[in-house]
Amino acid sequence: MPAETAPSLADVLRARGLRLTAQRQLVLEAVQRLGHATPEQVHQAVCRTAAGVNITTIYRTLELLEGLGLVTHTHLSHGAPTYHVPGERSHLHLVCHRCGAIEEAPLSLMHPLAEQLRTDRGFSLDIGHMALFGTCAACAAEEES
Amino acid sequence: MPAETAPSLADVLRARGLRLTAQRQLVLEAVQRLGHATPEQVHQAVCRTAAGVNITTIYRTLELLEGLGLVTHTHLSHGAPTYHVPGERSHLHLVCHRCGAIEEAPLSLMHPLAEQLRTDRGFSLDIGHMALFGTCAACAAEEES
DNA sequence: GTTAGTGCAAATTTTTTGCATCGGT
DNA sequence: ACCGATGCAAAAAATTTGCACTAAC
């Protein structure tokens, strides 16, 4: 088990004098399980276990967890922020601007670029989850006709 | 002057039986000039020339222009879609998740990756404008402390 | 003269905020 | 018991839709 990947929620919270609540556990768990999900989707997932949880709490909790470094968000396709656990289930998203399809690709494709950015400008690419936009093979074929 | 970069708005519209209006000209012009801008910013820019233009028209026109391939949108940092002319003023955006800073980098960094994606999976990366997320040098330094 | 395009207002959708209550420590 | 966290309702943003009027063709 990798040492840095498992800072327990309880510990992180306690370290800052924050409280461990069922909602926070559920939200983190949902984000981990879903891989990448919008606040809406997290809400639905959480509600499947604890029906009464308010959407407001989801937003507040996601924001908190992000501040704590336990989750991050990126923007896949259309205006919907999606949250995920850094380093977990890592892969690239190739989002087709034309048909909206999302395919996944191995993260290793990014390594050379990540390396160069770090060397050249000290910028550490978040390669946890990453969205790249373009035109998928199918749509590219159509456009040529 | 590159041949493919200048399909006149009038021509594109006429080809589809659509009408050339002042608003459409102004919106396209604003997107070109601003480089990358949210609907809101486009609205403000347009209103500086033609005060009465409604935000609704901005949304509708951006959608139309995107359908015509004259502009595209991507999501920089926080939930705000930004529109730009494909191939124009091209550069990478490096968005810092921590402090929100956006720095620009030359597009050439992406070429190897773009090449590989096209070869491997037929995916044409939209390298017109592109946002990469991560931690900037300044924030990375802070985090180490 | 036709009919697409625009402006306006209202409806939706998404996210944020204020405040009383509840529950972790 | 204290004070942070939650739920609820309402506010604030952001985006979309319906419809009558204007203007491009």
Side-chain angles (χ1 to χ4, degrees):
Chain A
M1 190 183 289
E4 21 175 348
T5 331
S8 124
L9 174 60
D11 294 342
V12 175
L13 289 173
R14 211 167 312 140
R16 309 218 182 184
L18 301 173
R19 294 173 185 173
L20 177 62
T21 65
Q23 289 88 333
R24 288 173 178 176
Q25 293 176 289
L26 289 166
V27 168
L28 180 55
E29 207 173 87
V31 172
Q32 288 172 328
R33 187 158 37 79
L34 297 175
H36 50 91
T38 64
E40 205 74 17
Q41 293 172 319
V42 172
H43 184 216
Q44 291 190 310
V46 168
C47 282
R48 223 164 286 135
T49 309
V53 179
N54 196 285
I55 182 75
T56 303
T57 300
I58 305 295
Y59 278 104
R60 285 194 281 227
T61 303
L62 286 173
E63 193 184 336
L64 175 78
L65 294 177
E66 184 156 37
L68 295 174
L70 296 175
V71 306
T72 354
H73 80 275
T74 52
H75 297 274
L76 295 183
S77 65
H78 198 74
T82 65
Y83 288 80
H84 64 91
V85 177
E88 185 105 337
R89 287 219 220 166
S90 297
H91 50 263
L92 271 180
H93 292 278
L94 301 179
V95 183
C96 179
H97 252 317
R98 204 144 160 288
C99 68
I102 299 182
E103 41 180 318
E104 302 185 353
L107 214 52
S108 54
L109 287 171
M110 296 297 290
H111 286 335
L113 177 61
E115 193 62 33
Q116 190 167 7
L117 285 175
R118 176 168 290 110
T119 309
D120 291 2
R121 0 178 101 228
F123 188 91
S124 330
L125 204 55
D126 169 18
I127 51 176
H129 271 222
M130 173 142 292
L132 297 181
F133 297 87
T135 313
C136 73
C139 285
E142 270 184 52
E143 279 192 357
E144 261 166 45
S145 59
Chain B
M1 191 182 289
E4 20 176 349
T5 332
S8 125
L9 174 59
D11 293 343
V12 176
L13 289 174
R14 211 166 313 141
R16 309 217 183 185
L18 300 172
R19 294 174 186 175
L20 177 63
T21 65
Q23 289 87 333
R24 288 173 179 177
Q25 291 176 291
L26 288 166
V27 168
L28 179 55
E29 205 173 88
V31 172
Q32 288 171 329
R33 185 158 37 80
L34 296 174
H36 49 91
T38 63
E40 205 73 19
Q41 293 171 319
V42 172
H43 184 215
Q44 291 190 311
V46 168
C47 282
R48 226 164 284 133
T49 308
V53 179
N54 197 283
I55 182 77
T56 303
T57 300
I58 304 294
Y59 279 105
R60 285 194 282 226
T61 302
L62 286 172
E63 194 183 336
L64 174 77
L65 294 177
E66 184 157 37
L68 295 174
L70 296 175
V71 307
T72 353
H73 80 275
T74 52
H75 296 274
L76 295 183
S77 66
H78 198 75
T82 66
Y83 288 80
H84 64 90
V85 177
E88 186 105 335
R89 287 218 221 166
S90 297
H91 51 263
L92 272 179
H93 292 278
L94 301 179
V95 182
C96 179
H97 254 316
R98 205 143 160 287
C99 67
I102 300 183
E103 41 179 318
E104 302 186 354
L107 214 52
S108 55
L109 287 170
M110 295 298 288
H111 286 153
L113 177 61
E115 194 62 32
Q116 190 166 7
L117 285 174
R118 176 167 290 114
T119 309
D120 291 2
R121 359 179 101 226
F123 188 91
S124 331
L125 205 54
D126 168 17
I127 51 176
H129 272 223
M130 172 142 291
L132 297 180
F133 297 86
T135 314
C136 72
C139 287
E142 271 184 51
E143 277 191 358
E144 259 166 43
S145 61

